[in-house]
Amino acid sequence: MKQKLSGILAVLLLLSLTACGRTPSVDTADDTESQTETAIGMPQQENGSGSQNGSQNGSQNGSQNGSTANDQNGSQNEQNNGGTDPMNPEPVDSVKSAEDAVRFISNNLYSLCSEVLPMAVETRALDLSDADAVQYNTGLANTDGITDIVLSESAVGSFAYSLVYVRTDGSNTDAIHQSLQDSIDPRKWVCVEAEAVNSIRLDDDICVVMGSAEQVDTISASLRQAAEGVFEQVGDPMTVL
């Protein structure tokens, strides 16, 4: 009886050991390890994506901000550049400086004869200390008695057109006028040359125009018209060439 009972207990023990071959603790450990790897992996991926997104957003924001700043700076520079040399469109009623002479030519005169001018015209004061530029554009060897010289010519290409406005102090205007007529070079461009040259006295100032015959005739007539009310004495055009 004892042997039979011992056999039954042995069988029950064997069955019990077989049923517990995979304990819940092992399964739980495996599952926990798997869950832990997944839990750690996901946040790392999310953090990586966040880093990428942050980098992309930072780059985009930086580019946008930089672009906006550049655009704003560019616009500001354009405004500044546009405002450094403003052109007053109003005509002048007297010529007492080089700036007045520039405005007289650009606003008073050229508004009357734009159809015979080159496509683009630049009107500017010459530096009287630049003897080479003065002599090349006027033929004058010195500037005694001259207060300003304004030159107006084509800004693009070589066109045989030139207007020289000479302001004098009145001390030797006649001599300066004669020297201009004798010395100004209608062939200064080398590859082209003016076919006509006129000079006109405006009080103590002198204006010399050279170009095609049509240009010189039209501009000379317009110059006398533009000078009315600006100068007290306006001379007749004198033919130089």
Side-chain angles (χ1 to χ4, degrees), residues 15 44 47 169 172 179 223 231:
L15 290 174
Q44 287 178 343
N47 289 337
D169 60 12
N172 59 341
S179 183
L223 179 59
F231 301 92

Side-chain angles (χ1 to χ4, degrees), residues 17 55 71 90 96 99 102 107 135 145 150 162 171 192 225:
L17 292 175
S55 176
D71 291 343
E90 296 297 323
K96 298 180 179 180
E99 182 182 3
V102 170
N107 303 339
Q135 186 162 24
V150 172
S162 181
S171 61
V192 294
Q225 180 181 347

